[in-house]
Amino acid sequence: MKTADAPVEFYFDFSSPYGYLASELIDDLAAAHGRSVAWRPILLGAVFKATGSQPLVHQPMKGAYALRDFARSARFHGLPFAMPAVFPVATQAAARACYWLQGEDDAAARRLAHALYRAYFIGGRNIGETDTVLAVGEELGVAPARLEAALAEPAVKERLRAETESAIARGVFGSPYFVVDGEPFFGVDRLPQLEKWLKRGGF
Amino acid sequence: MKTADAPVEFYFDFSSPYGYLASELIDDLAAAHGRSVAWRPILLGAVFKATGSQPLVHQPMKGAYALRDFARSARFHGLPFAMPAVFPVATQAAARACYWLQGEDDAAARRLAHALYRAYFIGGRNIGETDTVLAVGEELGVAPARLEAALAEPAVKERLRAETESAIARGVFGSPYFVVDGEPFFGVDRLPQLEKWLKRGGF
């Protein structure tokens, strides 16, 4: 079942703290084993409807632990992190911007994804607002008028809907969620297992 | 807040696969940093009532992933593992046996805890049945009649009830769950963070 050069599939929601941590680690990890990464933003709200779940921070007892663990996990990995004042946020605009730009220039889409995650989880900017997504794009040289038009395109909206639906059909139940040669890994804390898998072609 | 020689507190349910994996790793990890481990079996059923949760394997989508992840995590750590045919099981008898023996001989209680976990997650023996707990105890030299009488003692029953209640009051919401100098760590996948915490006295 192993496909030598298949990309690591990386599912995430732009409002997911563990997704942000993973976004800072996965490209280097994959590259060290000759793999690229396919970045696939999805909507966790739709996923939670399918699983009957809810955001971690809203769950009894787990919520308080999660807030502590987000910050500690960031320190563990040496990554900057500040819990945003508004959390979680809707991530349709961020995800659509990412998919649209992938169609134009994959490297630029990667830079935009990093910039959006960092704007939210380092800078505390509300990427749930379209204006913030446009502003972050503009800082990278994406004309706001072009991006705003793209966000309203039916094909772009449909792409995000289809990716989320396809992710759910594959069993994706949270963020970050990775698939390597058909093998699923959930959570930034599974990156050591994912790395061993890449190194050995399974274990 | 750091207490130099305080034991690592290890909360677990005898029916928890990740608890079993942690049980094989935590003593050596703590000892490498001059710490002992206080083993505290609890009843996840009571915990799940408090959190409104349910066993992982019963959760939509997460269940299938969990079964795969249990076995893969065991391989990752180089530990033997076979998913028991009967799962989960009630663990009152196992937990009570462990607390009773702690009162007599802590090292023997540790050996019993390992033997019970291994009987279940390697040998597939149903430790939810009191007879199995008595048999596992007998294999370690604990007279079945003495253990059977101990399991019926009100003080032993109360100890388990009180430990579970105290765990919930502290925020324990799953298994394994560790507390090091007041810092909580949930999951066998947090052992690398726990180790860094022990090494540096926090990070």
Side-chain angles (χ1 to χ4, degrees):
Chain A
M1 294 295 289
K2 188 170 177 298
T3 310
D5 295 309
V8 171
E9 296 166 277
F10 169 36
Y11 293 96
F12 62 97
D13 184 300
F14 274 109
S15 191
S16 159
Y18 295 127
Y20 153 67
L21 299 181
S23 77
E24 297 287 344
L25 302 166
I26 189 61
D27 278 324
D28 286 353
L29 195 163
H33 300 279
R35 300 290 188 110
S36 62
V37 179
W39 287 48
R40 297 192 171 164
I42 56 170
L43 300 177
L44 268 189
V47 171
F48 288 161
K49 265 185 205 161
T51 60
S53 191
Q54 56 178 330
L56 205 48
V57 295
H58 295 166
Q59 294 179 31
M61 296 167 78
K62 296 182 189 176
Y65 174 84
L67 289 173
R68 189 173 193 132
D69 191 64
F70 295 158
R72 188 180 62 203
S73 293
R75 295 195 303 275
F76 180 73
H77 289 290
L79 296 169
F81 176 82
M83 194 64 197
V86 182
F87 178 86
V89 293
T91 54
Q92 276 86 348
R96 286 173 188 157
C98 189
Y99 279 121
W100 168 72
L101 203 51
Q102 281 180 4
E104 306 244 316
D105 177 345
D106 196 60
R110 189 77 44 101
R111 286 193 296 275
L112 178 64
H114 278 302
L116 287 166
Y117 253 147
R118 292 169 187 166
Y120 189 45
F121 286 114
I122 303 175
R125 296 164 70 183
N126 184 352
I127 62 166
E129 295 177 349
T130 299
D131 282 352
T132 307
V133 173
L134 298 179
V136 171
E138 187 171 20
E139 287 154 24
L140 297 176
V142 181
R146 280 197 71 213
L147 182 50
E148 188 167 26
L151 296 182
E153 281 175 24
V156 172
K157 293 182 174 183
E158 170 57 21
R159 174 72 188 280
L160 174 58
R161 199 200 56 73
E163 290 283 0
T164 299
E165 192 173 278
S166 148
I168 294 169
R170 288 188 87 171
V172 174
F173 56 78
S175 165
Y177 192 103
F178 308 91
V179 182
V180 178
D181 303 328
E183 183 74 10
F185 298 86
F186 169 59
V188 66
D189 46 37
R190 283 299 175 277
L191 288 182
Q193 292 195 23
L194 189 156
E195 185 165 31
K196 188 171 183 174
W197 198 273
L198 285 174
K199 192 180 294 180
R200 304 197 181 181
F203 62 81
Chain B
M1 294 298 287
K2 188 170 178 293
T3 310
D5 295 308
V8 171
E9 297 167 277
F10 169 36
Y11 292 97
F12 62 96
D13 184 301
F14 274 108
S15 191
S16 158
Y18 295 126
Y20 154 67
L21 298 181
S23 77
E24 298 286 345
L25 302 167
I26 190 59
D27 279 324
D28 286 353
L29 194 163
H33 299 280
R35 300 290 189 109
S36 62
V37 179
W39 287 48
R40 298 193 170 162
I42 56 170
L43 300 177
L44 269 189
V47 171
F48 289 160
K49 266 184 205 163
T51 59
S53 190
Q54 55 177 332
L56 205 49
V57 294
H58 296 165
Q59 294 179 31
M61 298 168 77
K62 297 183 188 176
Y65 174 83
L67 289 173
R68 189 172 192 133
D69 191 63
F70 295 157
R72 188 180 62 203
S73 294
R75 295 195 303 275
F76 181 72
H77 290 290
L79 295 169
F81 176 82
M83 194 63 197
V86 183
F87 178 87
V89 294
T91 54
Q92 277 86 349
R96 287 173 187 156
C98 189
Y99 280 121
W100 168 72
L101 202 51
Q102 281 180 4
E104 305 243 317
D105 177 345
D106 196 60
R110 190 76 45 101
R111 286 193 296 274
L112 179 63
H114 278 302
L116 287 165
Y117 254 147
R118 292 169 187 165
Y120 189 45
F121 286 114
I122 303 175
R125 295 164 70 183
N126 183 352
I127 62 167
E129 294 177 350
T130 299
D131 283 351
T132 307
V133 173
L134 297 179
V136 171
E138 188 171 19
E139 287 154 24
L140 297 177
V142 181
R146 280 197 71 214
L147 181 50
E148 188 165 27
L151 295 181
E153 281 175 23
V156 172
K157 293 183 175 182
E158 170 57 21
R159 174 73 188 280
L160 175 58
R161 198 200 56 73
E163 290 283 1
T164 299
E165 193 173 278
S166 147
I168 293 168
R170 289 189 85 173
V172 174
F173 55 78
S175 165
Y177 191 104
F178 309 91
V179 182
V180 178
D181 303 329
E183 183 75 10
F185 298 88
F186 170 59
V188 67
D189 45 38
R190 284 299 175 276
L191 289 181
Q193 293 195 22
L194 190 157
E195 184 165 33
K196 189 172 184 174
W197 198 273
L198 285 175
K199 192 181 294 179
R200 305 196 182 181
F203 62 81

